[in-house]
Amino acid sequence: MEWLTRQLELLAEQGLKRERRALSPLADGWVEWQGRRYRNFASNDYLNLASHPRVLAATNEPLKSTVGSRASALVSGRTIWHEQLEETIATFEGSEAALLFPTGYAANVGTIAALVDSNDVVFCDRWNHASLIDGCRLSGAKLRVYRHDDLDGLQRELCKCSTSSRKWIITDSVFSMDGDIAPLAKLCDLAAEFEADLIVDEAHGTGVFGATGRGVAELTGTEHRIAVRIGTLSKSLGTLGGFVAGSRSLIDWLWNRARSQVFSTALPPAICAAASAAIEILQAEPERCRYLLELCDFFRSELQSHGVQPMLGSIGPIVPIVIGDSIATLTIAQHIEGSGYLVGAIRPPTVPNGTSRLRISVTSAFNPADLSNLAVTIADAISSSNNNASS
Ligand SMILES: *Cc1c(COP(=O)(O)O)cnc(C)c1O
């Protein structure tokens, strides 16, 4: 396997090799690394619930008896904590039922592969999350990828498709690397026109968008028109696990057929208790979402006032700033790190060649003054990188 060494060297030369580091997580959005504290702006804990005292305390009771769930949900791993969490999710989402998966990734792969079969046709936005694409591949269905947000292109593909095959439109609600949202109402219209069903992944939507934090579907008033809504507990809800919300028959089918759920150990009970607590906090304090979005708007305006343009179309907590070159992106991210802020440096193959970017995730752990300082730091880091490039 000597080719591995050569390939890794090649990645390093292109600024594409990912290094691993181990952070010590602290409360309220902070992390420590090699003796220094950083504000973490590369985290998905948008509502700062991962270290909320009530979420932490919820783990006490289940941890008295076990850490692991000891089996897959189907065999004996589904505990009272799982049942309570599924009921909490169904109530929160306003759906008949909900089903847990080990992760959001597993929810996407397992759900798509269980519903879609090889005679079906699947229409996917080009920037859909890898787990949606992997689920489509696993299903064996014919995959039609349309250009990002290109509804005309999607419509043309739908027209070409035989009326006899079952059709699915699958999309992220918030695109994780561009931070923009899918046109769900128009996708619902197309789905209705062509008798397709819609599967929507709200991984970055839940806890952020909509009056009560149910995501972009709530924001756009399309919840009842979406056949399958998938979410994760690992982002704004600060814990772990994927879920599907939908009709009782959908959930019964997935319980019987979704392999990533059937053949994997159930979530630890303490995680379920923590996730229930996180959802209860969100239900009691939906204004957390509005406050988060206000912070995001404020941060964008601070960036712009310092001459930095966040990616057009991005709204909400994911703030991408396209740099282009991978090595420059890394250098700028390191410069920002030097001032005590962790930000993402996203490079190919996660994003297309030539579109390497900083990716800042705004969380409500930090206040407007932190965001102002970060905006200045980013502007300085970018201009000193430009100066170095031109000198
Ligand atoms: C993060 C993410 C997932 C995966 O969720 P996990 O719970 O982290 O496995 C799925 N879809 C999208 C769009 C995501 O951003």
Side-chain angles (χ1 to χ4, degrees):
M1 300 230 295
E2 275 161 41
W3 61 271
L4 274 180
T5 320
R6 279 196 302 279
Q7 288 298 323
L8 285 167
E9 281 164 7
L10 207 61
L11 286 180
E13 281 163 24
Q14 298 166 319
L16 297 179
K17 184 158 177 263
R18 268 76 161 171
E19 298 303 336
R20 296 197 292 172
R21 58 179 163 192
L23 306 172
S24 303
L26 306 171
D28 294 325
W30 289 83
V31 293
E32 192 177 298
W33 185 55
Q34 296 184 335
R36 179 160 181 202
R37 284 162 50 104
Y38 295 84
R39 290 179 175 82
N40 190 357
F41 283 95
S43 139
N44 301 316
D45 185 21
Y46 302 125
L47 297 178
N48 193 28
L49 290 174
S51 62
H52 191 291
R54 268 177 56 202
V55 175
L56 292 172
T59 64
N60 291 343
E61 188 60 31
L63 281 179
K64 282 182 189 158
S65 46
T66 184
V67 174
S69 66
R70 305 162 167 164
S72 68
L74 220 54
V75 175
S76 70
R78 187 171 186 266
T79 66
I80 54 170
W81 310 100
H82 296 78
E83 179 180 60
Q84 192 209 354
L85 175 55
E86 287 177 342
E87 285 170 1
T88 303
I89 293 171
T91 306
F92 172 64
E93 293 285 348
S95 62
E96 265 177 32
L99 181 67
L100 287 170
F101 284 76
T103 63
Y105 187 104
N108 281 339
V109 170
T111 300
I112 295 172
L115 291 174
V116 178
D117 79 36
S118 55
N119 300 314
D120 298 0
V121 186
V122 177
F123 301 87
C124 268
D125 188 290
R126 183 168 164 208
W127 298 153
N128 274 356
H129 191 260
S131 54
L132 294 173
I133 303 289
D134 291 356
C136 293
R137 287 185 182 149
L138 199 57
S139 75
K142 282 181 264 325
L143 185 57
R144 300 277 178 268
V145 177
Y146 56 91
R147 287 199 348 243
H148 182 49
D149 276 356
D150 178 11
L151 294 165
D152 294 336
L154 170 59
Q155 182 166 25
R156 278 195 302 277
E157 289 294 331
L158 282 161
C159 283
K160 280 192 229 158
C161 181
S162 126
T163 46
S164 61
S165 27
R166 202 184 284 157
K167 296 180 270 298
W168 303 87
I169 300 172
I170 302 185
T171 187
D172 286 16
S173 73
V174 178
F175 291 91
S176 49
M177 294 304 139
D178 289 9
D180 58 335
I181 64 178
L184 289 187
K186 288 179 187 146
L187 289 173
C188 288
D189 292 344
L190 282 176
E193 185 182 339
F194 291 92
E195 295 181 352
D197 282 304
L198 201 59
I199 300 178
V200 176
D201 174 6
E202 289 267 26
H204 291 279
T206 307
V208 175
F209 293 105
T212 65
R214 292 205 303 264
V216 180
E218 181 183 25
L219 179 73
T220 55
T222 52
E223 286 170 295
H224 60 288
R225 304 177 71 193
I226 297 169
V228 185
R229 286 184 287 136
I230 307 180
T232 179
L233 303 164
S234 67
K235 286 174 178 153
S236 72
L237 295 166
T239 59
L240 179 71
F243 65 84
V244 174
S247 68
R248 172 136 335 262
S249 52
L250 168 68
I251 298 309
D252 281 348
W253 179 255
L254 296 177
W255 172 251
N256 282 276
R257 281 288 188 276
R259 292 166 63 90
S260 60
Q261 179 271 133
V262 173
F263 294 104
S264 198
T265 297
L267 286 167
I271 288 291
C272 296
S276 292
I279 296 173
E280 283 159 13
I281 293 168
L282 178 56
Q283 285 173 310
E285 303 166 16
E287 64 277 8
R288 281 174 174 268
C289 302
R290 191 166 22 92
Y291 176 65
L292 171 66
L293 291 178
E294 280 167 18
L295 285 177
C296 300
D297 288 346
F298 173 75
F299 180 56
R300 282 193 172 77
S301 66
E302 286 295 283
L303 284 172
Q304 281 163 339
S305 73
H306 292 96
V308 177
Q309 182 57 54
M311 195 159 177
L312 288 179
S314 75
I315 63 169
I318 300 172
V319 184
I321 300 167
V322 174
I323 305 297
D325 179 65
S326 299
I327 293 171
T329 306
L330 265 187
T331 310
I332 294 169
Q334 279 157 5
H335 184 137
I336 297 167
E337 224 168 75
S339 303
Y341 303 95
L342 288 196
V343 299
I346 311 289
R347 290 158 284 154
T350 309
V351 293
N353 282 331
T355 70
S356 288
R357 64 199 68 177
L358 303 173
R359 180 175 179 271
I360 294 94
S361 302
V362 176
T363 81
S364 51
F366 300 111
N367 61 34
D370 296 322
L371 294 168
S372 293
N373 292 335
L374 175 59
V376 173
T377 305
I378 290 171
D380 286 349
I382 292 175
S383 70
S384 65
S385 155
N386 290 342
N387 292 342
N388 287 344
S390 57
S391 63

